């Protein structure tokens, strides 16, 4: 799920249900798109378990627009396993192919958060004005972020820590969602007020052309074979099907009056498209192999659905319902809702990915040295050694190995309390360090994380220096 927000100006504190600011096409000023009704106080945040080293498995990542956080849902049992702080008014979400990095567009912070699930923490990268959409290239090296007020797209080095901005491309007026082709050579951006889709050459980050579609295009998805791009038209209740070879609309699928389609996801085999219909509170299932493509089912979900994402195996769809703070789980075989996850805070964007432990196994250790005492505490295995905390922030020291040999030139994130304190690069001995600023709480815990690099598997180490067992009445 990517771009789902638009605002006439980056003004903080604009009204939304429950307070704050949120997705509202009505801000474009079009009559008939007034979507804000009576104020409703949202429910409390989802109950979560304490953050732990990220396991392998398939996860759904949900942006909580009101809370400024990202919820991590284990799709094995559809429970929220952790909630990670990101920026203000998070919208679009995208995940790297290996599942080890999650990117979140924070509309009112003008940033994109890089979330490392293994560390349970995030760091931010400044982008354009009001970022709402984000997509990651198939090889995981680039992230593309649409900025709806500055009318451009930021290109980020997604495999670097911290990520760096590579280029900025003007794409059109009020860009929303963005999708990347299967071969990674094209990015497609829905321009809300232009009624077009911009086609960007990702090899040199230049705008190639724009394709006219329907009214107020929002969501974009590319077919796995690269031949089609699907675009939701919020303003006229249709789905445009673009032929990527000719750059023209092949067909327009009517979804029905009063649907207000917001987001779209395409199955791995390309035979189905799933559209979140904001106003009709359902998901349209489209047979894309038919000529012309047609709606074959509608699945009722929660109130005012915005985001939709399919699991990598295509067996389930996760749909965010912004008004009732839930995520619906659809069985794509039976086209029925098999579960509803409650307790989010204006859920907007959603993305899914399988996080593996492939690659050469690695080992990471972490110690904490408090300034003023000269002693290191913690062994990187969740056990703690005794010591006395200094008055200033500690120095965190990590060592990364594979098969007992040091790994040099790898990025390490040092985190605590859902934030990244700093990043470091391992030296020839596999060591990296971080000096934490400011005095920390006595019960503070610290985590070092290696996100993995395609060749080597991710690894984490956590230590809590002050959480040790008293011996003879002494700490």
């Amino acid at each position: 799920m990517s771009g789902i927000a638009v605002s006439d100006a980056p003004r903080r504190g604009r009204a939304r249900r429950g307070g704050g600011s949120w997705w509202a096409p009505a801000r474009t000023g079009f009559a008939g798109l007034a979507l804000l009704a009576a104020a409703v106080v949202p429910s409390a945040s989802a109950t979560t378990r304490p953050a732990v080293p990220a396991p392998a498995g398939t996860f759904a990542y949900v942006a909580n627009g009101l809370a400024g956080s990202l919820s991590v849902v284990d799709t094995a049992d559809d429970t929220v396993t952790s909630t990670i702080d990101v920026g203000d008014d998070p919208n679009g979400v995208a995940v790297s192919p290996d599942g080890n990095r999650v990117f979140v567009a924070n509309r009112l912070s003008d940033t994109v958060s890089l979330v490392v699930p293994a560390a349970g923490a995030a760091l931010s990268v400044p982008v354009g004005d009001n970022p709402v959409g984000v997509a990651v290239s198939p090889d995981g090296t680039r992230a593309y972020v649409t900025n709806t007020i500055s009318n451009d797209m930021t290109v980020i080095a997604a495999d670097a820590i911290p990520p760096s901005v590579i280029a900025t491309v003007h794409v059109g007026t009020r860009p929303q969602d963005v999708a990347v082709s299967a071969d990674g050579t094209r990015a497609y951006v829905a321009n809300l007020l232009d009624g077009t889709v911009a086609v960007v050459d990702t090899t040199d980050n230049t705008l190639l052309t724009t394709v006219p579609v329907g009214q107020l295009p929002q969501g974009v998805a590319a077919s796995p074979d690269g031949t089609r791009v699907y675009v939701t038209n919020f303003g006229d209740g249709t789905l445009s099907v673009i032929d990527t070879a000719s750059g023209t609309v092949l067909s327009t699928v009517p979804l029905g009056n009063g649907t207000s389609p917001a987001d779209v996801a395409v199955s791995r085999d390309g035979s189905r498209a799933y559209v979140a219909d904001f106003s009709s509170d359902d998901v349209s299932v489209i047979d894309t192999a038919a000529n012309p493509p047609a709606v074959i089912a509608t699945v009722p979900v929660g109130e005012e659905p915005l985001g939709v994402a399919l699991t990598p195996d295509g067996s389930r769809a996760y749909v965010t319902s912004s008004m009732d703070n839930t995520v619906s789980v659809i069985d794509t075989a039976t086209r029925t809702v098999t579960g509803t996850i409650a307790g989010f805070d204006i859920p907007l964007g959603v993305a899914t990915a399988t996080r593996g432990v492939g690659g050469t196994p690695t080992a990471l250790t972490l110690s904490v040295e408090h300034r003023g005492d000269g002693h290191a505490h913690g062994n990187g295995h969740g056990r703690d050694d005794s010591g006395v905390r200094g008055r200033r922030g500690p120095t965190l020291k990590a060592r990364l190995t594979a098969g007992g040999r040091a790994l040099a030139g790898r990025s390490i994130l040092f985190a605590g309390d859902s934030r990244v304190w700093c990043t470091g690069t391992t030296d020839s001995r596999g060591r990296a360090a971080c000096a934490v600023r400011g005095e920390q709480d006595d019960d503070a815990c610290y985590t070092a994380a290696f996100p993995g690099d395609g060749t080597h598997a991710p690894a984490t180490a956590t230590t809590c220096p002050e959480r040790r067992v008293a011996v003879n009445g002494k700490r």
Side-chain angles (χ1 to χ4, degrees):
M1 174 60 193
S2 291
I4 48 176
V6 63
S7 170
D8 284 337
R11 288 178 284 178
R12 302 176 188 273
R14 302 184 77 176
R16 68 168 155 189
R17 292 182 174 96
S21 57
W22 74 302
W23 184 91
R27 298 213 177 94
T28 61
F30 285 87
L33 287 180
L35 304 177
L36 298 181
V40 175
V41 178
S43 61
S45 299
T47 300
T48 62
R49 298 192 291 267
V52 295
T58 300
F59 298 86
Y61 300 93
V62 180
N64 294 295
L66 181 63
S69 64
L70 182 75
S71 292
V72 182
V73 178
D74 188 339
T75 64
D77 56 9
D78 288 333
T79 58
V80 177
T81 61
S82 63
T83 299
I84 301 168
D85 292 338
V86 288
D88 190 7
D89 199 8
N91 277 247
V93 183
V95 191
S96 62
D98 61 9
N100 292 322
R101 294 172 173 85
V102 184
F103 294 85
V104 183
N106 304 308
R107 188 174 72 89
L108 293 182
S109 295
D110 295 339
T111 63
V112 166
S113 290
L114 165 59
V115 177
V116 179
L123 57 85
S124 295
V125 181
V127 289
D129 197 349
N130 272 216
V132 295
V134 60
V136 179
S137 62
D139 63 3
T141 63
R142 297 290 182 267
Y144 300 90
V145 185
T146 57
N147 305 300
T148 192
I149 297 300
S150 52
N151 298 324
D152 54 29
M153 180 176 72
T154 303
V155 184
I156 295 174
D159 54 350
I161 296 179
S164 58
V165 172
I166 297 173
T168 300
V169 186
H170 178 82
V171 290
T173 307
R174 299 297 189 265
Q176 300 293 294
D177 200 0
V178 54
V180 183
S181 62
D183 62 5
T185 64
R186 298 289 185 270
Y188 300 91
V189 179
N191 294 314
L192 185 86
L193 298 189
D194 290 346
T196 64
V197 169
V199 183
V200 176
D201 185 337
T202 61
T203 60
D204 58 6
N205 297 315
T206 58
L207 178 63
L208 293 177
T209 188
T210 56
V211 181
V213 287
Q215 297 176 19
L216 304 180
Q218 293 278 318
V220 185
S223 65
D225 64 5
T227 63
R228 301 288 185 269
V229 169
Y230 300 90
V231 185
T232 62
N233 301 304
F234 188 95
D236 59 20
T238 63
L239 180 77
S240 295
V241 183
I242 297 175
D243 175 30
T244 57
S246 64
T248 59
V249 173
L250 283 178
S251 59
T252 300
V253 183
L255 303 177
N257 294 329
T259 53
S260 305
D263 192 28
V264 57
V266 180
S267 62
R268 186 168 59 178
D269 64 2
S271 66
R272 297 289 185 269
Y274 298 81
V275 177
D277 297 321
F278 180 84
S279 295
S280 54
D281 300 337
D282 56 35
V283 169
S284 295
V285 183
I286 297 161
D287 182 354
T288 58
N291 188 19
V295 176
I296 56 175
T298 55
V299 183
V301 289
E303 194 171 354
E304 297 184 354
L306 282 173
V308 57
L310 295 169
T311 54
D313 65 3
S315 64
R316 283 166 291 170
Y318 285 76
V319 184
T320 61
S321 298
S322 60
M323 185 57 182
D324 58 14
N325 296 316
T326 63
V327 171
S328 298
V329 184
I330 297 175
D331 183 322
T332 58
T334 63
R335 300 169 194 158
T336 59
V337 172
T338 58
T340 300
I341 311 168
F344 299 91
D345 287 328
I346 312 296
L348 302 179
V350 58
T352 65
T354 297
R355 187 165 61 233
V357 292
T360 303
T362 58
L364 188 65
T365 60
L366 173 65
S367 63
V368 181
E369 182 178 292
H370 293 291
R371 301 175 185 179
D373 65 14
H375 298 291
H377 314 297
N379 55 24
H381 299 286
R383 302 171 186 169
D384 307 312
D385 301 323
S386 62
V388 179
R389 187 174 65 85
R391 291 185 177 180
R392 295 189 296 169
T395 296
L396 312 180
K397 295 183 177 181
R399 186 168 188 263
L400 180 67
T401 58
R405 296 185 177 183
L407 283 180
R410 267 61 175 192
S411 296
I412 304 295
L413 285 84
F414 296 92
D417 192 27
S418 295
R419 62 171 294 184
V420 173
W421 290 108
C422 51
T423 62
T425 302
T426 56
D427 60 17
S428 60
R429 295 180 294 177
R431 297 177 178 176
C434 166
V436 177
R437 296 181 180 180
E439 187 174 357
Q440 303 304 305
D441 293 338
D442 287 341
D443 61 353
C445 291
Y446 305 96
T447 296
F450 169 57
D453 59 10
T455 302
H456 295 89
T460 61
T462 299
T463 187
C464 308
E466 291 294 325
R467 296 181 185 177
R468 53 189 179 276
V469 179
V471 178
N472 295 327
K474 298 180 179 180
R475 288 180 63 85

